Amino acid sequence: MGDPVLVELDDDAGPPAPQDRPGPARRRWGLALTVALVLALVVAQLVADVRERARLAALDDVPGVLDPLPGPPDVAWRLHGDATGTVQVLGSQLLESRIAPDGSMSLAARDVATGAEHWTAPLLEAPDAALPATVARYGLQCATGPGLPGRVACLVHDATAARTPDGGPAAAATASSAPATSARLEVVDVESGDVVAEYPAGADATGAGAAVAAAVGVTDDALVLAAPLDDGTSVRALDPTTGAQRWRVRADTGFGGGWLRWGAEARVLPVGDDAVGILGAGVVLLDTADGSALATAGTLATVTGTRQDGSALVVASEGYTRLVGHDGDVRLEGTAVQVTVDDGSVPDLALTTSGGLRAWDAVTGEERWRADVPAQEALVVGTVVHVHDGFRVTTLDGRTGEVLWEATAPDLLDEDAVVTGLATDGSRVLVVASSVATSRARLVALDAAAGTEAWQTDLARLGDVTSVEAVDGVLLGFGTQDVVVLR
């Protein structure tokens, strides 16, 4: 045998193949992509923020929308102790109608944000003979509108009513009550508080007589006064600049007027640009140009107010709803749902309840959709509809009726809780919920888009506040002895 041969096996196939290393150009390209992605996200967020700010800014002019409330509100300031509870907001001022215990009447302007008093305008002096402890004056009414820019018209009168045990005016007249014998309009400049005009508001030029005005409304070009009669309502329109009478008519609002109903039933509601609703025992819609009757509703009808766009009276009548305006009378099935805020994002939307929530076209009367959701009150903001029925809050797409989210009162508070009201600041839905068993009341803020809870607070932390209500876009807290502004 020959010598053994040694064989070496080399597993190394050779030097490793050279690997491509990222060059400067490739690294720059990757960095550029990352920067571009970040910039795109930032720009998208900025655009979204700008759009949201623009949306919320547009809501500043929508009646009833609150200022933003990112957290639980606190007591900002307190209304006067002798405020009647009638307040209205004009620009940055809150106007309080006040009736003092001695019977004098005044109007006070306060800064909405701080409560600082800007001015107080005396409107009616106390009677020469002191009022008995069981009697009070009542019914001070102040109104403004496009026909009275920068001013407010206040109707004052000398009617009295018996006090109730808690000191407030009685709802029903008693032997100690007396009808008004005279009335007048006081026109107040909102900036200065000066009374710039005074017009008689009775049956004759002196302002005295049987048909004493009990209600006032301001239309585009007139001050409209309504005085209840035994068989209807006397209505007259005054030029807002001179006080000259333009027309006077008797509106057939039905029997049952007279002083026993004085100040309680007569109402004047401007409707659109050229009509006015006169409410007594019945309802009549008048043309503001000449006082001619445009439409009527029977004595069994109840006017719940006007549409948010002011285009028609909302009339409840025998299980259906009528929208009565200058250009027509639309009949809808079901009972009207009170809409407290409507930003117009779902045009011509009308809501009723009849076996669930029903949405209608307010112009044609055609049904748009229905949902198996009960409702008492509604907010329409950003194309969605928020409703409550005392037990649950439901949010629906205002265009289709699709339910987006819901929350029940027990979820928000406790087992026997009920929902008593809704409000919104545009981003959140504010729910007022209370519990009878525990005497607790809470204000809960839910995200308007998702229904998730943003914050909640017990009203007890605000002192004597037992209920909360949005009035002209201002959140008011009501207690047994006090009314406060919350911010």
Side-chain angles (χ1 to χ4, degrees):
M1 294 182 60
D3 293 334
V5 177
L6 179 62
V7 178
E8 293 184 4
L9 298 177
D10 188 356
D11 292 332
D12 191 352
Q19 300 293 319
D20 291 337
R21 294 183 179 179
R26 183 173 295 182
R27 287 196 298 270
R28 287 196 298 269
W29 178 247
L31 180 61
L33 283 177
T34 302
V35 171
L37 179 59
V38 171
L39 286 176
L41 293 174
V42 170
V43 170
Q45 186 60 52
L46 288 174
V47 170
D49 291 345
V50 168
R51 288 176 176 172
E52 180 64 8
R53 286 195 296 270
R55 185 186 72 83
L56 294 176
L59 293 177
D60 287 344
D61 297 326
V62 177
V65 176
L66 303 169
D67 288 337
L69 281 169
D74 293 310
V75 175
W77 51 274
R78 300 177 185 278
L79 273 69
H80 288 95
D82 56 357
T84 64
T86 301
V87 300
Q88 55 186 308
V89 178
L90 296 177
S92 62
Q93 296 193 116
L94 182 144
L95 304 184
E96 299 177 53
S97 301
R98 300 167 59 186
I99 305 177
D102 64 1
S104 61
M105 297 182 180
S106 61
L107 182 68
R110 308 274 292 274
D111 186 282
V112 171
T114 67
E117 185 168 319
H118 292 169
W119 49 259
T120 296
L123 301 177
L124 184 67
E125 295 180 350
D128 293 336
L131 293 172
T134 57
V135 172
R137 279 181 172 172
Y138 69 101
L140 171 60
Q141 181 187 162
C142 295
T144 189
L148 209 61
R151 298 180 176 183
V152 60
C154 294
L155 178 64
V156 299
H157 55 78
D158 60 354
T160 58
R163 289 183 183 273
T164 54
D166 63 0
T174 67
S176 59
S177 301
T181 60
S182 67
R184 65 177 185 266
L185 274 180
E186 302 279 353
V187 180
V188 181
D189 183 279
V190 174
E191 289 300 320
S192 66
D194 295 333
V195 176
V196 294
E198 181 178 301
Y199 307 133
D204 54 38
T206 67
V212 179
V216 61
V218 181
T219 69
D220 272 12
D221 59 359
L223 308 178
V224 181
L225 296 167
L229 306 171
D230 290 331
D231 59 351
T233 303
S234 174
V235 187
R236 62 187 179 126
L238 308 181
D239 183 287
T241 303
T242 66
Q245 180 174 299
R246 291 183 171 175
W247 49 260
R248 180 196 292 267
V249 299
R250 176 192 163 278
D252 188 11
T253 53
F255 292 91
W259 79 268
L260 291 179
R261 297 168 61 86
W262 199 94
E265 299 295 332
R267 293 168 64 195
V268 177
L269 293 177
V271 179
D273 297 332
D274 43 20
V276 62
I278 305 301
L279 283 59
V283 182
V284 176
L285 187 70
L286 303 180
D287 192 311
T288 56
D290 56 10
S292 58
L294 300 171
T296 62
T299 56
L300 296 179
T302 301
V303 174
T304 60
T306 58
R307 283 182 49 78
Q308 286 290 308
D309 60 7
S311 62
L313 295 171
V314 181
V315 183
S317 180
E318 299 177 347
Y320 61 90
T321 297
R322 290 172 58 188
L323 305 179
V324 182
H326 188 282
D327 299 322
D329 188 340
V330 178
R331 175 169 166 160
L332 312 174
E333 292 183 15
T335 303
V337 175
Q338 182 185 16
V339 179
T340 56
V341 173
D342 187 348
D343 66 352
S345 56
V346 188
D348 300 321
L349 177 69
L351 298 172
T352 68
T353 178
S354 176
L357 184 63
R358 304 178 69 175
W360 308 85
D361 188 300
V363 177
T364 65
E366 295 180 358
E367 185 176 73
R368 293 180 176 177
W369 51 261
R370 67 173 67 191
D372 187 19
V373 173
Q376 298 175 359
E377 179 185 2
L379 313 172
V380 183
V381 181
T383 73
V384 299
V385 177
H386 308 282
V387 299
H388 86 85
D389 67 339
F391 175 74
R392 82 178 64 239
V393 178
T394 306
T395 292
L396 310 93
D397 188 310
R399 298 158 297 188
T400 66
E402 176 189 0
V403 175
L404 303 177
W405 58 263
E406 64 179 19
T408 67
D411 291 339
L412 301 175
L413 188 54
D414 54 38
E415 186 173 346
D416 69 338
V418 294
V419 176
T420 59
L422 296 179
T424 184
D425 65 358
S427 297
R428 288 160 288 272
V429 178
L430 273 63
V431 183
V432 185
S434 62
S435 170
V436 177
T438 62
S439 299
R440 293 177 62 204
R442 297 191 74 78
L443 184 63
V444 184
L446 304 178
D447 181 85
T452 54
E453 183 177 308
W455 53 260
Q456 67 169 276
T457 187
D458 199 314
L459 295 187
R461 61 176 277 274
L462 302 175
D464 189 33
V465 175
T466 57
S467 64
V468 171
E469 183 179 345
V471 178
D472 281 353
V474 174
L475 199 62
L476 297 181
F478 296 87
T480 55
Q481 302 292 331
D482 219 352
V483 180
V484 298
V485 174
L486 305 176
R487 296 184 71 83

